[in-house]
Amino acid sequence: MTTQVDYYELLGCSRDADDGTIKSSYRRLAMKYHPDKNGGCKEHEAKFKAVSEAYDCLKDPQKRAAY
């Protein structure tokens, strides 16, 4: 059983957020959890990957509409 992560919640945005808000939230979290800034911490690396996946889905209008 897999659980679907709410990408908006992960990025800290509302569902009606515009592209600029989503992008700024992603950048803030990417800087916070980037593996190079956290000495290779596996927990932060996993969080960085999850944030990147969420942004990848929400930045594309077609993927965002399907999500």
Side-chain angles (χ1 to χ4, degrees), residues 28-48:
R28 178 179 41 82
L29 292 171
M31 291 297 290
K32 180 178 179 181
Y33 293 118
H34 197 279
D36 290 345
K37 288 190 125 187
N38 293 298
C41 176
K42 297 296 181 187
E43 184 178 320
H44 283 138
E45 184 178 344
K47 189 78 165 176
F48 177 75

Side-chain angles (χ1 to χ4, degrees), residues 48-59:
F48 177 75
K49 287 179 182 180
V51 167
S52 296
E53 179 184 330
Y55 180 66
D56 186 50
C57 178
L58 297 179
K59 73 178 179 179

Side-chain angles (χ1 to χ4, degrees), residues 3-67:
T3 58
Q4 181 66 25
V5 176
D6 184 7
Y7 290 151
Y8 293 100
E9 185 178 318
L10 187 63
L11 291 176
C13 300
S14 64
R15 292 197 171 272
D16 59 349
D18 64 346
D19 292 338
T21 303
I22 291 171
K23 186 175 184 177
S24 67
S25 295
Y26 164 71
R27 286 182 175 212
R28 178 179 41 82
L29 292 171
M31 291 297 290
K32 180 178 179 181
Y33 293 118
H34 197 279
D36 290 345
K37 288 190 125 187
N38 293 298
C41 176
K42 297 296 181 187
E43 184 178 320
H44 283 138
E45 184 178 344
K47 189 78 165 176
F48 177 75
K49 287 179 182 180
V51 167
S52 296
E53 179 184 330
Y55 180 66
D56 186 50
C57 178
L58 297 179
K59 73 178 179 179
D60 182 15
Q62 291 177 337
K63 287 182 184 178
R64 187 175 180 186
Y67 174 72

